[in-house]
């Protein structure tokens, strides 16, 4: 099913002191859609996710899920059906992969905290079901074999996938991914692209923030470009890719040329141990 809005942001603005991080941003996510959100560092992408998930209360504007206004409370937003991952990974490092996913599952379960005091049969059935579903999700993201590993011992790419499994454990209708391929090699990036397609197949609509424009243009049905807190352009990948304002304001040059230049610069400066920060900016999801 496509064409029905599931998530809608209307005129969302976010002001921090004197800084306007978002200015009247609109977004409509349809059922079955994969929407890409791109823009330079500091454009307000993470801040926008924080507004969509109740972590921040927008200064102005509204966020609705299937027409119902979402509360300014992250736990309630999760229960309503919006799940996310974070630009800077947030896992429980001393818990196993499976335990991390079970935690996500718990945010969805009906039994209250008292149930765990009594450990009755209903409680045990619930726990078993949570484990079974969590294992299934680990298989789904390709981590079934490492379910017993402590999450801190997993390679970086696996930790990112584990975060996705934990988000999926909340049974979302919308999944928000903040830079899911950051730090991944090309093979892992491609596996993540395929995973996002598979997630869409399960009926979850997805919004993805990424810097890798090739990844975004080959993944998304719709792309929104945020620059200095404002929506600059939105449309199909073809429309966005060809828009002169995007090329000028965001890419500066065609993506291939930009990448070639970055590689060249990296080679030139390798001897001087200079670090090129493509995304070293602030992360609005730090609290
Ligand atoms: N909690 C906050 N307090 C003050 N400024 C913030 C906060 N969160 C984000 N910002 C600012 O908002 C702007 C957008 O940041 P961010 O949303 O992280 O951008 P992006 O994710 O596009 O790189 C930045 O100037 C950042 O410093
Ligand atoms: Mg960000």
């Amino acid at each position: 099913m496509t064409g029905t809005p599931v998530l809608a942001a209307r005129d969302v603005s976010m002001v921090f002191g004197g800084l306007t991080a978002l200015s009247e941003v609109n977004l409509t996510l349809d059922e079955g859609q994969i929407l890409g959100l791109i823009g330079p560092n500091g454009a307000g992408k993470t801040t926008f996710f924080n507004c969509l998930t109740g972590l921040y209360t927008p200064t102005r504007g509204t966020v609705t899920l299937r027409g119902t206004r979402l509360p300014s409370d992250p736990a309630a937003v999760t229960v309503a059906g919006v799940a996310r991952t974070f630009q800077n990974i947030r896992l429980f490092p001393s818990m196993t992969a499976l335990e991390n996913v079970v935690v996500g599952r718990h945010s969805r379960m009906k039994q209250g905290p008292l149930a765990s005091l009594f450990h009755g049969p209903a409680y045990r059935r619930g726990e078993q079901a949570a484990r079974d579903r969590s294992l299934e999700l680990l298989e789904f993201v390709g981590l079934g074999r490492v379910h017993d590993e402590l999450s801190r011992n997993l390679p970086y790419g696996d930790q990112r996938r584990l975060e996705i499994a934990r988000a999926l454990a909340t049974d979302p209708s919308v999944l928000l991914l903040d830079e899911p391929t950051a730090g991944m090699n090309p093979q892992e990036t491609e596996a993540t692209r395929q995973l996002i397609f598979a997630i869409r197949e399960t009926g979850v609509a997805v919004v993805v923030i990424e810097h890798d424009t090739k990844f975004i243009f080959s993944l998304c049905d719709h792309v929104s470009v945020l620059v200095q807190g404002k929506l600059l352009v939105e449309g199909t990948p073809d429309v966005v890719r060809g828009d002169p304002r995007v090329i000028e304001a965001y890419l500066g040059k065609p993506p291939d040329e930009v990448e070639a230049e970055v590689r060249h610069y990296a080679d030139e400066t390798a001897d001087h141990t200079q670090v090129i920060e493509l995304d070293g900016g602030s992360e609005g999801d730090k609290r």
Side-chain angles (χ1 to χ4, degrees):
M1 186 172 48
T2 54
T4 314
V6 49
L7 185 72
R10 288 290 160 259
D11 298 325
V12 168
S13 298
M14 187 78 218
V15 180
F16 299 108
L19 176 94
T20 302
L22 294 172
S23 181
E24 298 177 345
V25 176
N26 287 289
L27 172 138
T28 305
L29 178 70
D30 289 341
E31 297 277 6
Q33 201 171 46
I34 301 175
L35 190 153
L37 187 59
I38 62 173
N41 262 334
K45 304 178 298 295
T46 297
T47 300
F48 190 54
F49 270 17
N50 290 344
C51 288
L52 295 177
T53 52
L55 208 52
Y56 294 165
T57 305
T59 312
R60 279 183 300 281
T62 56
V63 181
T64 54
L65 184 72
R66 295 204 176 88
T68 303
R69 200 151 165 184
L70 284 172
S72 291
D73 168 7
V77 169
T78 304
V79 172
V82 180
R84 76 176 292 180
T85 63
F86 290 88
Q87 183 175 342
N88 43 350
I89 296 176
R90 293 187 181 184
L91 292 164
F92 298 104
S94 307
M95 291 169 86
T96 66
L98 178 61
E99 285 163 351
N100 269 279
V101 184
V102 169
V103 168
R105 194 75 197 146
H106 279 156
S107 70
R108 242 303 171 214
M109 285 162 69
K110 289 201 180 66
Q111 20 199 40
L114 282 181
S116 62
L117 289 177
F118 299 112
H119 286 228
Y123 170 79
R124 282 196 298 274
R125 269 198 304 278
E127 284 302 298
Q128 190 57 50
R131 267 182 73 89
D132 291 349
R133 177 66 184 142
S134 299
L135 268 175
E136 235 173 67
L137 285 168
L138 282 173
E139 297 282 351
F140 178 71
V141 303
L143 295 177
R145 76 206 137 73
V146 294
H147 70 272
D148 249 350
E149 295 280 344
L150 297 185
S151 72
R152 67 160 174 259
N153 293 338
L154 293 175
Y156 192 68
D158 285 359
Q159 293 194 18
R160 287 224 173 263
R161 269 198 292 265
L162 177 54
E163 268 219 324
I164 295 177
R166 186 176 60 180
L168 290 174
T170 66
D171 284 344
S173 43
V174 173
L175 178 63
L176 310 177
L177 302 171
D178 198 345
E179 303 198 17
T181 70
M184 285 188 175
N185 65 35
Q187 288 75 29
E188 290 173 318
T189 298
E190 176 54 20
T192 302
R193 200 170 70 95
Q194 296 305 330
L195 174 61
I196 295 169
F197 284 132
I199 290 168
R200 183 250 297 274
E201 287 305 305
T202 70
V204 179
V206 185
V207 185
V208 193
I209 294 174
E210 256 313 331
H211 281 277
D212 180 345
T213 48
K214 264 187 199 150
F215 175 84
I216 286 288
F217 290 140
S218 64
L219 171 72
C220 300
D221 311 301
H222 189 95
V223 178
S224 295
V225 184
L226 209 55
V227 175
Q228 293 178 356
K230 292 198 180 80
L231 204 55
L232 182 73
V233 178
E234 61 172 320
T236 61
D238 279 347
V239 166
V240 170
R241 194 168 20 207
D243 191 296
R245 287 169 298 175
V246 176
I247 294 169
E248 190 190 322
Y250 175 50
L251 302 169
K253 300 181 176 141
D256 288 349
E257 217 175 290
V258 171
E259 274 160 40
E261 204 165 275
V262 167
R263 267 199 306 278
H264 177 71
Y265 183 70
D267 290 341
E268 291 263 292
T269 56
D271 294 343
H272 312 292
T273 59
Q274 218 166 328
V275 178
I276 302 164
E277 291 256 305
L278 283 178
D279 181 25
S282 60
E283 293 187 26
D285 58 12
K286 277 182 212 132
R287 276 213 275 183

